[in-house]
């Protein structure tokens, strides 16, 4: 099903002072980023760059990310950040994690997203420090929003790779002058827009290269499915081979399914699934139990029902408190109690 473009993209503002952020890989699955203060004379060009990318999203159709899909000219991939986990880093006995001890991000948000979440905490890269920040793999133009979140307009390229030995660069003012020490080049393209909740990408290739940790999760989906099958067998409900194949096929088609299968391992330990409880939940939402079971009482479904299976176990079905209208939650997250509750 084609997703609707989130209203958040219509509400993005490009006010205030933008920052330029450079990012590079740190270890196998980490990212490091630093911000650069931009001269006021460059604010308008960067505003134009960002606005053009926003208008492209607003004029295009969103589609779910599929690893092997090709986008049409007026399409973009849309990913929900809540459905992008990061495979936890495997540490040696003598090496500690680079994550701060106060990081309570339970779903291990992808390294790129975590790094860019708050530009305010990034170190500022002074001009003399640029040579000491080698091999950046992307840059972004970052704008702070009214709610203190950040929106990034990301270009997947090294802005310094164009400065090759033996080449001379010139600028034109009143006369043509040689640029003695060019720092970087920013072109007129944006490859993806990152908000606090969503990611819009204009090319799938850049998702594959910037989100290697996500694809590590995709590669490990068979292991997660086997883990899920083991838990279900222990709970005396079981899952058929066809259903396992269906979960694997669905996860290859949609990154979000891979992420949800990743979380389902822990979820099963919380809900203690059995046939009676499953039947009760399905009855509550008027779902035929035979749509998810075979004749022997084992979980059984095809690829087109994998989403239904995940929705049921994730508890995404509910009724509107006011109208009793059946609904499906787009995201699974814990609600923080309001003050006084």
């Amino acid at each position: 099903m084609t997703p609707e473009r989130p209203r958040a993209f219509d509400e993005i503002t490009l006010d205030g002072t933008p920052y330029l952020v450079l990012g590079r890989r740190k270890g196998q699955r980490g990212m490091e980023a630093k911000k650069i203060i931009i001269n006021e004379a460059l604010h308008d060009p960067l505003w134009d760059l960002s606005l053009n990318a926003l208008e492209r999203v607003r004029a295009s159709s969103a589609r779910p990310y599929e690893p092997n899909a090709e986008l049409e000219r007026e399409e973009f991939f849309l990913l929900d950040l809540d459905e992008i986990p990061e495979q936890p880093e495997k540490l040696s006995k003598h090496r500690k994690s680079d994550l701060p001890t106060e990081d309570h991000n339970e779903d291990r948000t992808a390294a790129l997203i975590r790094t860019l979440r708050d530009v305010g905490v990034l170190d500022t890269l002074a001009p003399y420090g640029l040579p000491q920040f080698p091999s950046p793999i992307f840059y972004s133009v970052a704008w702070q929003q009214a709610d203190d979140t950040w929106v990034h307009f990301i270009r997947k390229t090294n802005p310094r790779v164009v400065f090759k030995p033996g080449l001379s660069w010139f600028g034109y003012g009143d006369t043509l002058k040689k640029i003695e020490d060019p720092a970087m080049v920013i072109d007129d393209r944006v490859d993806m827009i990152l908000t606090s909740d969503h990611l819009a990408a204009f090319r799938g290739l850049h998702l594959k290269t910037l989100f290697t940790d996500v694809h590590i999760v995709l590669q490990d989906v068979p292991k997660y499915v086997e883990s899920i099958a083991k838990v279900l067998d222990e709970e005396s409900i079981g899952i058929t081979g066809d259903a396992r194949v269906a979960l694997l096929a669905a996860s290859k088609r949609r990154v979000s399914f891979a992420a949800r299968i990743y979380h389902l391992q822990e979820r099963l330990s919380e809900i203690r699934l059995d046939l009676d409880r499953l039947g009760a939940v399905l009855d509550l939402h008027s779902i035929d139990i035979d749509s998810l079971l075979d004749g022997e009482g084992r979980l059984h479904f095809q690829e087109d029902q994998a989403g239904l299976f995940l929705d049921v176990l994730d508890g995404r079905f509910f009724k509107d408190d006011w109208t009793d209208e059946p609904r499906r939650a787009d995201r699974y997250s814990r609600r923080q109690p309001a003050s006084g509750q």
Side-chain angles (χ1 to χ4, degrees), residues 191-220:
D191 296 316
M192 57 187 73
I193 302 174
L194 176 66
T195 74
S196 60
D197 295 311
H198 296 91
L199 177 73
F202 302 118
R203 288 191 64 190
L205 176 62
H206 297 134
L207 289 172
K208 293 180 180 180
T209 54
L210 283 177
F211 287 84
T212 54
D213 45 357
V214 172
H215 289 274
I216 289 172
V217 171
L218 286 174
Q219 293 167 11
D220 285 344

Side-chain angles (χ1 to χ4, degrees), residues 31-266:
M31 287 277 184
E32 179 184 19
K34 294 191 177 183
K35 63 187 176 187
I36 298 174
I37 296 175
I38 302 171
N39 186 283
E40 188 174 353
L42 295 178
H43 290 184
D44 285 348
L46 294 181
W47 184 87
D48 288 336
L49 171 73
S50 304
L51 182 61
N52 288 339
L54 265 184
E55 289 180 342
R56 180 177 177 183
V57 165
R58 292 166 178 169
S60 300
S61 300
R63 63 175 292 179
Y65 173 65
E66 300 173 69
N68 299 314
E70 292 293 332
L71 288 170
E72 299 294 336
R73 183 175 180 85
E74 295 183 353
E75 290 182 329
F76 64 92
F77 286 127
L78 178 66
L79 288 87
D80 188 318
L81 300 194
D82 280 357
E83 297 180 341
I84 305 179
E86 176 186 10
Q87 176 75 352
E89 185 177 9
K90 294 181 180 179
L91 303 175
S92 68
K93 294 181 179 179
H94 306 291
R95 190 166 64 86
K96 296 182 179 180
S97 171
D98 61 346
L99 293 177
T101 56
E102 67 272 13
D103 181 2
H104 300 299
N105 180 20
E106 296 177 357
D107 67 351
R108 295 272 61 78
T109 302
L112 175 75
I113 299 168
R114 186 180 66 242
T115 302
L116 298 181
R117 181 174 288 125
D118 187 358
V119 174
V121 304
L122 297 179
D123 291 335
T124 300
L125 188 62
Y128 59 80
L130 193 57
Q132 282 72 51
F133 194 81
S135 304
I137 61 171
F138 73 88
Y139 65 82
S140 81
V141 180
W143 300 85
Q144 191 170 25
Q145 303 301 290
D147 60 357
D148 292 331
T149 61
W150 291 84
V151 173
H152 292 267
F153 296 82
I154 300 171
R155 178 76 166 103
K156 172 60 182 73
T157 189
N158 180 349
R160 292 182 54 79
V161 76
V162 295
F163 301 121
K164 299 178 181 179
L167 295 180
S168 296
W169 293 83
F170 301 90
Y172 189 78
D174 296 332
T175 59
L176 191 65
K177 298 178 181 179
K178 182 177 180 180
I179 301 175
E180 297 294 342
D181 187 22
M184 63 182 64
V185 165
I186 297 177
D187 58 30
D188 60 355
R189 291 178 58 185
V190 169
D191 296 316
M192 57 187 73
I193 302 174
L194 176 66
T195 74
S196 60
D197 295 311
H198 296 91
L199 177 73
F202 302 118
R203 288 191 64 190
L205 176 62
H206 297 134
L207 289 172
K208 293 180 180 180
T209 54
L210 283 177
F211 287 84
T212 54
D213 45 357
V214 172
H215 289 274
I216 289 172
V217 171
L218 286 174
Q219 293 167 11
D220 285 344
V221 166
K223 180 176 68 177
Y224 302 152
V225 172
E226 287 302 314
S227 175
I228 290 167
K230 182 179 178 180
V231 173
L232 291 173
D233 286 338
E234 292 173 351
E235 298 294 337
S236 301
I237 189 168
I239 184 170
T240 66
D242 285 347
R244 297 188 197 190
V245 171
L247 286 176
L248 289 171
S251 69
K252 291 180 181 179
R253 184 169 53 87
R254 296 184 62 177
V255 170
S256 62
F257 279 16
R260 293 173 67 184
I261 291 170
Y262 169 81
H263 290 296
L264 184 57
Q265 301 169 98
E266 181 180 359

